[in-house]
Amino acid sequence: MMVEAGGLVEQRKDTMTMRHVNSKVRYVNKTIKKLRCKKRKRPVVPRVPRLLQELFVSCREVFKGPGNVPPPFDVDKLRSILDRMKPEDVGLSKNLHFFKAAGAVTGTPRVTYTTIYQCDEFSLCIFFLPANAVIPLHNHPGMTVFSKLLLGKMHIKSYDWVDQVHSEDPVPPSQLRLARLKADSVFTAPCDTSVLYPTTGGNIHQFTAITPCAVLDVLGPPYSKEDDRDCSYYRDIPCSAFPNGETTLSEEDEGDRFGWLEEIQVPENSQMDRIEYLGPQVAENSL
């Protein structure tokens, strides 16, 4: 999933649109009781939820920049934190109007996103998908991504390339490439965190919201056009549609499902609206 320029997301600078979008997703507001005491009190500094701060600190320790894939121990550490996280840890609630929305939506539902924190090594962001909204099939070049479905019900389809291609020998955009299907299932929150790696784990995936959803994503490193981590989009075609496309598969591949992926231009429904993050802030000076 995108966080900045170069693919899946685009920041909307139209203030009217931003105001309209922001009205769809609101955070939990705590009621402040009036104090009867006449003495002036010191301002109360909101506490960062423990798990959100733990996630932030662990990300700073785990992600070492481009070209580095976290070892299994660190992956398990981050996954354990995310598995325990709840919507309230980022200021959300299932009682918000957005997650109770019902009825037909006019036109193509737009996805919105907000960034909790971002640096060169990693980013923390939340994606909000109305019912029937789609984040098209896209890749995550050189990235390790943790996805935690916080709220809602979502269909996820993901692929990995059967044969990896080196950067010095790129594949023409029009050429079909064989990919192994890694996931094609419906997930309902709360559920376990999914992890994808630069070449495994379902690096190319698509999200389709069945109900309004919120997904917390940890990307390490984030997308960066300047660092050749731009996003590509694909359409998938069942292998049965190409009976003459013979491919030699090993015995280990027997029983697996495959698809042909073709790179396409940036789809219109890949554009997203960015909103301000209004949830709990992480404490950057905690280290």
Side-chain angles (χ1 to χ4, degrees):
M1 296 183 182
M2 310 296 112
V3 182
E4 290 301 330
L8 196 59
V9 294
E10 294 182 2
Q11 182 172 355
R12 303 273 295 185
K13 297 182 179 179
D14 185 356
T15 56
M16 293 298 291
T17 302
M18 291 295 293
R19 194 179 305 115
H20 172 71
V21 172
N22 197 28
S23 66
K24 296 181 181 179
V25 182
R26 296 189 181 279
Y27 289 82
V28 177
N29 293 321
K30 295 183 178 179
T31 303
I32 301 177
K33 297 181 180 180
K34 294 183 178 180
L35 299 176
R36 295 182 179 180
C37 181
K38 295 182 180 180
K39 294 182 179 181
R40 182 172 295 180
K41 299 290 184 178
R42 292 183 179 181
V44 177
V45 179
R47 291 187 60 185
V48 181
R50 181 181 61 82
L51 285 176
L52 177 60
Q53 186 64 22
E54 187 178 345
L55 175 65
F56 169 71
V57 172
S58 296
C59 285
R60 292 181 65 169
E61 296 172 349
V62 167
F63 292 109
K64 307 299 182 182
N68 291 277
V69 178
F73 175 81
D74 287 337
V75 169
D76 291 342
K77 179 180 180 180
L78 290 180
R79 181 158 42 194
S80 174
I81 298 171
L82 286 162
D83 283 345
R84 289 177 282 138
M85 290 191 69
K86 298 179 180 180
E88 292 77 14
D89 292 314
V90 290
L92 296 175
S93 168
K94 63 181 179 181
N95 295 322
L96 295 175
H97 178 71
F98 175 82
F99 301 106
K100 291 184 175 182
V105 178
T106 304
T108 302
R110 289 182 71 98
V111 177
T112 61
Y113 80 100
T114 188
T115 301
I116 300 174
Y117 180 85
Q118 177 166 324
C119 62
D120 291 339
E121 287 73 34
F122 69 93
S123 65
L124 308 176
C125 58
I126 308 172
F127 292 86
F128 300 99
L129 290 80
N132 302 317
V134 177
I135 297 181
L137 200 62
H138 63 283
N139 68 347
H140 306 79
M143 302 162 65
T144 302
V145 180
F146 297 74
S147 294
K148 168 67 174 182
L149 181 61
L150 293 171
L151 289 165
K153 187 176 184 180
M154 170 183 291
H155 178 267
I156 300 178
K157 178 184 278 189
S158 64
Y159 292 92
D160 284 328
W161 296 121
V162 171
D163 296 316
Q164 297 297 324
V165 176
H166 299 290
S167 58
E168 61 270 15
D169 186 25
V171 175
S174 60
Q175 182 175 332
L176 296 176
R177 289 181 61 189
L178 188 64
R180 179 182 289 102
L181 186 67
K182 300 298 293 184
D184 188 11
S185 305
V186 173
F187 296 82
T188 303
C191 57
D192 293 339
T193 303
S194 62
V195 185
L196 62 85
Y197 302 90
T199 59
T200 60
N203 185 276
I204 305 165
H205 69 197
Q206 173 177 295
F207 289 169
T208 304
I210 298 174
T211 67
C213 295
V215 183
L216 172 61
D217 260 18
V218 178
L219 300 92
Y223 283 98
S224 173
K225 203 169 186 179
E226 294 74 17
D227 296 325
D228 295 325
R229 289 194 306 278
D230 200 0
C231 182
S232 298
Y233 299 89
Y234 303 89
R235 69 183 182 101
D236 56 337
I237 306 167
C239 285
S240 58
F242 292 86
N244 296 327
E246 297 182 0
T247 304
T248 301
L249 300 176
S250 65
E251 295 181 359
E252 303 165 345
D253 295 327
E254 293 182 2
D256 286 352
R257 295 169 59 189
F258 298 87
W260 295 103
L261 300 191
E262 180 182 20
E263 187 172 343
I264 60 175
Q265 297 296 320
V266 179
E268 290 185 5
N269 63 339
S270 68
Q271 296 181 352
M272 297 184 184
D273 295 302
R274 182 174 184 175
I275 61 175
E276 180 184 3
Y277 175 64
L278 302 176
Q281 303 292 325
V282 297
E284 296 186 51
N285 59 351
S286 60
L287 293 182

